Amino acid sequence: MSWAMQCQSCLPWSSWMQLHRSLPGSRGTRSVYLCAASATGTAGSYFLRKILRTSSISLSRGCVHYQGGSQEHSVQPRSSRHGLSQLRNVASSDAIKKHQKSLSAWFSHQPNEERQFGPSFSLNAVHVDPVIRESSLEEILKPSPDLTIHNQLQQPCSQVISLQKLFDVDACGRQVKNVVLYGTVGTGKSTLIKKMVVDWCHGRLPRFELVIPFSCEDLSHSHAPISLRRLITKKYQHLRDVVPMLGASNLKVLFILNGLERLNLNFSLAGTELCCDPNEPVPPSAIVVNLLRKYLLPEASIIATTRPSAVRRIPGKYVGRYAEICGFSDTNLQKLYFQMRLSQPGCGGENSVGSSSSEQENLVEMLSRNLERHNQIAAACFLPSYCWLVCTTLHFLYFTRTVPPSQTLTGIYTSFLRLNFSGEVLDSTDSTNISMMKYVAKTVGKLAYEGVMSRKTCFSEDDLQQCFEVKMKTESELNLLEVFRSDVFRFFLTPCVQPGKEHTFVFTIPAMQEYLAALYVVLGEKKTLAQRVGKELSEVIGKVSEDVAVILSIISKVLPLRFLPVLFNLLKIFPRYFSRLSGRDRDAIAHTMAEEMFKEEDYYNDDVLDQINFSILGVEGPMRHPDEAPDDEVFELFPIFMGGILSRRNRAILEQLGCSIKNLAAFEIAKAMKKTVIRKSRKGLPPSELMDYLFFLHEFQNKRFTAEAIRSLRTVNLSSVKMTPLKCSVLASVMGTTCHEVEELNLTSCNLDTSSLRILFPVLLRCKALHLQLNGLGSDACREIRDLLLHDKCMVSSLRLANNPVGEQGAQYLAEALAGNRSLTHLSLLHTALGDRGAEIIAQHLAKNQHLQELNLGYNSLMDTAALHVVEVAKKHATLDKVHLYFNDISEDGKRALHSLRMDRDGVRALVFLTAGTDVSDYWSNILNIVQKNLPFWDRERVRQHLVLILQDLESSRRQTANPWRKAKFLRVESEVKKMLGKLQHGTL
């Protein structure tokens, strides 16, 4: 009976919590003694003759003892001086040096995903070793404890062993020759091996004089017989002069077998014959078996990496030490990893070295604090792979400044899965040969999708059973499920850290649930039974009917059976009809995308990029009380990931993972989206929801679709959205797909800075009304605005810069812009700290402008001289007819001078008060509305003083008029001012 059936002949769901493992045969470590006098019988004689014929060790001189891969010789052969001299020559030969140089270049090469961390990043310079725990076969075979955070993050410290000590003598004093290093997906096996090779290349692994790494995935693709020496020279031609020395000298050699689960190894003599001759051609799997048996090159050391499910394929007698990679079970290792990754020089980009350095330190500090809170992220970062994902996501969120952005969030998650699952087959012994990622998409994707639909993130054992076991019918399916449990389950699902939910599971990273749910839908796995049967039936009928119709058309020429071809032609209609029905599936996918994208209950949440940021760095402030009701779960990334997965680049990567999405399917889904997504986007969206929609268009990476969607956006309101460099890049990229005019772009209170304006420059040029209030824009930003207004393609007609610290220097830049601009008609500099000097500078350049119609200089601490100077210049201006001067420090004499202005006589109106002589100003409501909107950002005491003066002026003007209608108007305005004063004093405004 197979080991999988032993595990699953009776498969209770409680084993999800135990992740049950088993192995047939003895549970102890077995010993085999090979002696000349002990071999009896036919099989024993053959075995002995084989040893005597091929072994380089004479059995007549003693016996060879194999125990757990450790090797003992009762009599050690003495090496001659010539052999020692030869060993020194080999160890210091140019061939090995070239081999080291070649390996160093190859294993130091980083994938494209790593280049974002700066030019100084390299595996040799930046690496954190995961925790390695010494294990045993008995421990591997016994049931695992409940999968909880306590068991996951608290490993016995007494069993921890370093990489350098893996080949030290064991507890019995025997020299270890064979080491099996195992761990689940994402624990860092391959990275650790790469680091081990690089260390040897740089002299940091002096125990071995030669290291020969083999990829078992590479070996699994070849079945042609080949000798060990030929195999080595084929992979490493620099070792051509060294290979003849193998087995003939005391050269300390280490073979590395990475990914042993990819090979179907058979250790029985009937399955793999004995071979000790490095020159004898045998299948690659036979070479590996005999190396592990210590029958081929017995002096060589071997380290093999594998997943937990394949550990038991190697008999325990051939293993000297078992070691489990436990990832970053210590949070201090997680902090060190983040510190090294996010603090690399150049990580923040070439153009912001000074500013990014402090930002990098701040990120590391916030991340460390979140880890110390024992948040869910600490459980996720138990796996080094997720530490990489966290760093990559933070780098994307904080250091993206190119237009268009070099990455997409969907691309990051797709690349993350490629780095962990590329070329991975769930079980190499299974005939289906299903890719690991395809299996995950069908099973975990279903769980993720059902969670999204029911707005649930925590899953019980019953939930898991419904998604994984309900359709298990064959032995093959049960075997695959058991392999998934032991090797992959913990990569995607982890115990929940919330009190009272310790025995439920959540997705390791929240966004991963939405990604897998999106993949499940886009792959078409969400189908009814009738749809699945109909698809298979249409394919069968389509193939059969074509062949039969050809045959019958030939027969019908001889026999009068003309009705039969007609019958089979009718069968061809079914596949065509079904293809039309399958088109409705694409419509359903587009409909699902639109429904999830524009859910009104999610309209006023934070945008998705802020949600991701909070999920990683946490929210600063007091912790939520355990009894407090949690917020409703939101899944706004789900439709965005659906769009991102359909992009050409992500489909190409998923194709490598065994998840194929055809070009025709992507085209038809995009076509269907035009009817749903674009139509629904035309209704007004709140700022955060609009940012999500723009981000969706960026992730979709379809320029034609994006251009059509953007043409319908004439007004873009993103007020109060924190516009990070990434969001600015997304906005610039998406809006850049068309050249149409933008009626209004509202970026009020968006945390903009100089770099943000540079990124958005092409978009700002096309905007007629531009709102930049409350962004902390100083003189440097005003220089960018000057360049914007002086550009020959500038279309800005209304510019609002209220509540920004423009200052005197900023006023100089804006004045220069006014002198040369030809499009601006309305300029608001309300509360921009201009002072008298700033207003004088603007007045000096105002005469050169020929198009400005309205200028707001309110609340800028202007005195009489500056205010009157501005008004005098405005009188002579050809188009300027309105100047706002309220809430300035104007004396009574200045007020009387401004009161005397008349529109019909002077050509300009100064808005200073709520009164106009003995009548109420026509603009009193505008002034009060401006005060009320800006009150949270102004000095309240100063505003109170100004309101008192305004109230006194209203009362004085009311007493001077005898018109009852005007008195009523004065009383109405006075009541509004008194209400505002009352609310201001009570702090309710």
Side-chain angles (χ1 to χ4, degrees):
M1 182 183 292
S2 68
W3 61 268
M5 285 305 296
Q6 286 182 332
C7 291
Q8 300 179 51
S9 56
C10 182
L11 192 62
W13 188 252
S14 60
S15 59
W16 277 107
M17 305 298 294
Q18 297 179 346
L19 298 180
H20 185 65
R21 300 172 182 167
S22 65
L23 179 70
S26 173
R27 291 181 178 266
T29 302
R30 294 176 290 178
S31 302
V32 178
Y33 295 88
L34 307 180
C35 302
S38 62
T40 58
T42 305
S45 300
Y46 170 80
F47 186 63
L48 178 59
R49 288 197 304 271
K50 190 72 177 177
I51 293 176
L52 292 174
R53 186 170 67 249
T54 58
S55 178
S56 60
I57 303 174
S58 174
L59 294 180
S60 62
R61 300 179 58 182
C63 65
V64 181
H65 172 212
Y66 296 95
Q67 182 166 357
S70 302
Q71 185 173 357
E72 289 183 352
H73 301 285
S74 58
V75 180
Q76 293 288 344
R78 294 176 296 178
S79 301
S80 64
R81 293 181 180 178
H82 174 70
L84 292 173
S85 175
Q86 189 181 49
L87 174 61
R88 295 191 190 98
N89 291 336
V90 171
S92 61
S93 67
D94 291 339
I96 291 183
K97 290 181 179 178
K98 289 180 181 179
H99 179 60
Q100 288 178 323
K101 184 178 180 180
S102 175
L103 282 182
S104 178
W106 177 257
F107 280 87
S108 297
H109 175 73
Q110 298 295 325
N112 293 333
E113 290 83 0
E114 298 287 20
R115 296 179 184 177
Q116 62 188 313
F117 291 104
S120 62
F121 177 81
S122 67
L123 184 64
N124 188 35
V126 182
H127 179 74
V128 179
D129 285 331
V131 173
I132 303 176
R133 186 176 62 88
E134 187 170 5
S135 182
S136 63
L137 186 60
E138 290 81 359
E139 187 173 348
I140 295 171
L141 295 176
K142 71 181 181 182
S144 299
D146 287 352
L147 185 58
T148 62
I149 289 298
H150 177 77
N151 292 326
Q152 183 166 291
L153 298 180
Q154 303 295 328
Q155 297 289 348
C157 297
S158 60
Q159 298 179 5
V160 172
I161 185 172
S162 66
L163 185 66
Q164 290 75 16
K165 295 183 179 180
L166 287 177
F167 290 94
D168 286 358
V169 295
D170 61 12
C172 298
R174 294 185 295 270
Q175 183 65 48
V176 172
K177 288 293 184 180
N178 289 355
V179 174
V180 171
L181 190 64
Y182 68 95
T184 58
V185 174
T187 49
K189 300 184 295 297
S190 298
T191 303
L192 192 65
I193 290 301
K194 289 173 67 175
K195 182 62 169 56
M196 186 178 186
V197 173
V198 172
D199 282 349
W200 174 77
C201 294
H202 291 83
R204 293 191 290 268
L205 200 64
R207 181 191 293 269
F208 303 105
E209 294 162 325
L210 179 61
V211 171
I212 303 175
F214 284 121
S215 166
C216 293
E217 180 184 358
D218 180 31
L219 297 179
S220 68
H221 295 307
S222 175
H223 303 285
I226 188 173
S227 68
L228 174 60
R229 289 178 178 173
R230 177 70 187 102
L231 181 63
I232 294 173
T233 56
K234 181 181 178 182
K235 305 297 180 183
Y236 307 104
Q237 60 178 349
H238 299 300
L239 298 180
R240 198 167 292 164
D241 298 331
V242 181
V243 167
M245 307 295 180
L246 296 179
S249 66
N250 291 331
L251 187 66
K252 297 177 181 177
V253 182
L254 172 65
F255 286 98
I256 297 177
L257 304 174
N258 189 35
L260 201 64
E261 70 276 354
R262 297 303 301 269
L263 293 174
N264 294 327
L265 303 181
N266 190 339
F267 282 84
S268 67
L269 290 178
T272 305
E273 66 175 344
L274 297 175
C275 174
C276 68
D277 185 359
N279 295 312
E280 182 178 347
V282 293
S285 59
I287 293 177
V288 172
V289 168
N290 282 288
L291 283 173
L292 291 169
R293 284 171 173 168
K294 310 312 296 176
Y295 203 72
L296 181 61
L297 300 184
E299 294 297 331
S301 299
I302 300 174
I303 182 169
T305 66
T306 186
R307 301 200 302 257
S309 64
V311 171
R312 62 202 73 184
R313 297 183 192 174
I314 309 172
K317 61 184 178 181
Y318 299 132
V319 180
R321 175 169 283 130
Y322 291 96
E324 180 184 9
I325 301 182
C326 300
F328 295 153
S329 55
D330 185 354
T331 54
N332 290 323
L333 291 178
Q334 300 174 9
K335 293 179 182 179
L336 179 61
Y337 181 95
F338 294 132
Q339 176 73 33
M340 298 179 75
R341 282 274 177 160
L342 295 175
S343 301
Q344 283 295 299
C347 177
E350 298 179 358
N351 299 326
S352 56
V353 176
S355 61
S356 65
S357 177
S358 59
E359 193 167 19
Q360 288 171 265
E361 294 175 1
N362 186 43
L363 281 179
V364 173
E365 178 63 26
M366 293 178 67
L367 197 51
S368 297
R369 286 202 299 267
N370 203 22
L371 289 171
E372 290 168 0
R373 296 188 187 117
H374 303 290
N375 204 319
Q376 194 69 50
I377 191 174
C381 294
F382 163 77
L383 294 173
S385 293
Y386 277 99
C387 291
W388 179 91
L389 180 60
V390 167
C391 287
T392 306
T393 305
L394 285 177
H395 191 278
F396 173 68
L397 293 175
Y398 282 88
F399 303 118
T400 299
R401 291 178 171 86
T402 58
V403 180
S406 57
Q407 287 184 314
T408 64
L409 185 66
T410 314
I412 288 175
Y413 275 75
T414 307
S415 297
F416 168 70
L417 294 174
R418 182 183 67 83
L419 290 173
N420 287 278
F421 295 97
S422 179
E424 291 287 345
V425 175
L426 184 61
D427 186 3
S428 61
T429 63
D430 187 77
S431 59
T432 60
N433 212 32
I434 186 173
S435 74
M436 188 178 289
M437 195 60 230
K438 180 68 173 178
Y439 187 87
V440 167
K442 295 176 68 173
T443 54
V444 187
K446 179 184 177 184
L447 179 71
Y449 173 74
E450 292 182 356
V452 169
M453 290 296 101
S454 59
R455 303 180 81 81
K456 181 169 63 175
T457 57
C458 291
F459 302 94
S460 65
E461 294 180 20
D462 291 337
D463 297 327
L464 299 178
Q465 185 178 14
Q466 287 297 317
C467 282
F468 289 95
E469 286 190 4
V470 70
K471 294 183 179 179
M472 298 291 108
K473 297 179 180 179
T474 65
E475 180 180 0
S476 174
E477 291 174 335
L478 294 174
N479 290 345
L480 290 174
L481 179 60
E482 182 64 22
V483 173
F484 169 79
R485 282 168 145 183
S486 63
D487 296 350
V488 193
F489 179 79
R490 289 187 231 192
F491 184 86
F492 291 104
L493 292 159
T494 188
C496 184
V497 300
Q498 295 181 20
K501 296 184 178 181
E502 291 85 356
H503 294 284
T504 61
F505 292 94
V506 296
F507 278 82
T508 312
I509 291 286
M512 184 59 73
Q513 176 179 353
E514 298 176 76
Y515 181 93
L516 292 177
L519 182 61
Y520 177 77
V521 174
V522 174
L523 285 176
E525 295 296 334
K526 188 178 74 69
K527 291 181 179 178
T528 63
L529 178 62
Q531 289 173 325
R532 294 181 184 276
V533 172
K535 181 180 179 181
E536 296 175 0
L537 188 60
S538 69
E539 292 176 353
V540 172
I541 293 177
K543 293 176 181 179
V544 172
S545 61
E546 291 178 3
D547 297 336
V548 174
V550 171
I551 295 172
L552 289 179
S553 65
I554 298 173
I555 298 175
S556 63
K557 295 179 180 179
V558 180
L559 299 176
L561 300 175
R562 296 183 180 181
F563 68 92
L564 289 178
V566 175
L567 176 63
F568 283 97
N569 283 330
L570 290 175
L571 292 176
K572 292 181 181 180
I573 297 176
F574 184 80
R576 295 172 187 171
Y577 177 73
F578 183 81
S579 65
R580 294 180 182 177
L581 291 179
S582 63
R584 296 183 182 178
D585 295 341
R586 279 68 183 265
D587 291 341
I589 292 174
H591 179 74
T592 301
M593 201 179 301
E595 288 296 321
E596 294 296 322
M597 174 68 67
F598 302 109
K599 276 191 172 181
E600 293 188 4
E601 57 264 35
D602 296 336
Y603 267 13
Y604 298 98
N605 298 324
D606 293 321
D607 62 81
V608 292
L609 293 175
D610 282 349
Q611 292 176 29
I612 295 172
N613 184 58
F614 296 149
S615 71
I616 296 175
L617 298 180
V619 180
E620 296 297 324
M623 297 288 289
R624 183 191 296 274
H625 192 274
D627 297 333
E628 186 179 349
D631 296 333
D632 291 336
E633 301 292 350
V634 293
F635 298 96
E636 294 180 271
L637 267 175
F638 169 55
I640 293 175
F641 277 143
M642 288 177 68
I645 288 171
L646 289 171
S647 70
R648 185 180 299 274
R649 180 179 179 274
N650 287 318
R651 284 189 286 118
I653 296 176
L654 288 169
E655 181 76 30
Q656 300 172 17
L657 298 176
C659 299
S660 177
I661 303 171
K662 302 300 182 183
N663 289 331
L664 181 60
F667 173 77
E668 290 179 348
I669 293 173
K671 186 178 178 180
M673 285 167 56
K674 292 181 180 180
K675 305 174 185 177
T676 55
V677 176
I678 295 180
R679 185 181 69 249
K680 290 198 173 186
S681 69
R682 287 172 181 161
K683 61 182 182 180
L685 296 175
S688 61
E689 196 71 14
L690 178 58
M691 186 67 241
D692 289 347
Y693 179 57
L694 296 173
F695 187 59
F696 164 80
L697 295 175
H698 163 68
E699 292 286 311
F700 192 35
Q701 295 286 291
N702 187 322
K703 289 186 177 180
R704 291 180 60 185
F705 181 90
T706 301
E708 187 171 342
I710 288 299
R711 287 192 193 99
S712 62
L713 289 179
R714 295 291 177 176
T715 300
V716 179
N717 181 10
L718 295 173
S719 60
S720 301
V721 173
K722 186 179 179 181
M723 293 299 291
T724 61
L726 170 62
K727 295 177 189 176
C728 291
S729 299
V730 168
L731 176 60
S733 174
V734 170
M735 297 296 291
T737 56
T738 67
C739 298
H740 77 284
E741 294 180 3
V742 180
E743 294 293 334
E744 182 180 357
L745 176 59
N746 190 345
L747 296 175
T748 301
S749 188
C750 289
N751 292 85
L752 298 178
D753 56 15
T754 306
S755 63
S756 303
L757 295 179
R758 290 197 194 103
I759 295 172
L760 292 172
F761 194 91
V763 179
L764 302 181
L765 283 174
R766 296 155 41 199
C767 299
K768 290 186 176 181
L770 184 57
H771 301 262
L772 298 177
Q773 306 97 299
L774 292 163
N775 280 296
L777 300 176
S779 58
D780 291 339
C782 289
R783 183 168 57 235
E784 296 297 323
I785 295 173
R786 177 199 63 184
D787 297 341
L788 172 72
L789 294 176
L790 292 177
H791 197 281
D792 58 353
K793 293 184 179 180
C794 178
M795 302 176 66
V796 178
S797 60
S798 175
L799 175 61
R800 298 180 183 272
L801 286 170
N803 299 304
N804 285 297
V806 172
E808 183 180 327
Q809 183 59 51
Q812 178 67 44
Y813 292 131
L814 293 177
E816 295 172 7
L818 280 175
N821 177 266
R822 299 178 184 275
S823 63
L824 196 63
T825 58
H826 296 75
L827 175 62
S828 174
L829 296 175
L830 175 70
H831 191 223
T832 50
L834 296 180
D836 285 345
R837 180 58 185 158
E840 292 283 354
I841 293 172
I842 288 177
Q844 291 171 9
H845 289 76
L846 199 55
K848 300 177 184 178
N849 180 278
Q850 300 298 320
H851 301 86
L852 195 65
Q853 298 175 10
E854 184 174 351
L855 176 63
N856 191 335
L857 298 177
Y859 202 163
N860 273 294
S861 303
L862 302 187
M863 307 292 284
D864 292 5
T865 304
L868 290 172
H869 185 201
V870 171
V871 172
E872 287 300 321
V873 173
K875 284 182 180 181
K876 302 173 184 178
H877 197 280
T879 58
L880 184 59
D881 61 4
K882 194 180 299 180
V883 179
H884 299 251
L885 292 171
Y886 39 81
F887 277 31
N888 281 302
D889 301 329
I890 301 173
S891 66
E892 291 299 323
D893 293 337
K895 291 178 183 178
R896 282 192 293 271
L898 293 172
H899 259 310
S900 64
L901 289 173
R902 294 291 182 270
M903 184 66 190
D904 54 353
R905 183 189 66 201
D906 302 309
V908 66
R909 178 168 295 171
L911 307 183
V912 186
F913 315 102
L914 301 186
T915 59
T918 58
D919 198 358
V920 175
S921 170
D922 293 336
Y923 302 97
W924 71 268
S925 60
N926 292 343
I927 295 174
L928 288 183
N929 285 335
I930 290 173
V931 172
Q932 189 164 358
K933 288 179 181 178
N934 290 277
L935 192 57
F937 320 105
W938 290 357
D939 183 350
R940 295 202 167 208
E941 179 57 29
R942 185 174 178 182
V943 172
R944 189 191 66 79
Q945 294 174 4
H946 277 284
L947 288 176
V948 170
L949 292 175
I950 287 174
L951 185 60
Q952 293 173 356
D953 182 65
L954 286 168
E955 292 173 346
S956 175
S957 298
R958 175 168 52 84
R959 286 192 294 268
Q960 293 177 14
T961 182
N963 188 320
W965 174 248
R966 291 183 179 179
K967 284 182 178 289
K969 287 172 64 178
F970 274 115
L971 289 172
R972 179 189 172 191
V973 177
E974 286 175 30
S975 66
E976 292 294 332
V977 175
K978 288 178 181 178
K979 286 180 184 178
M980 193 176 294
L981 273 171
K983 292 180 179 179
L984 189 62
Q985 291 172 353
H986 291 91
T988 58
L989 189 61

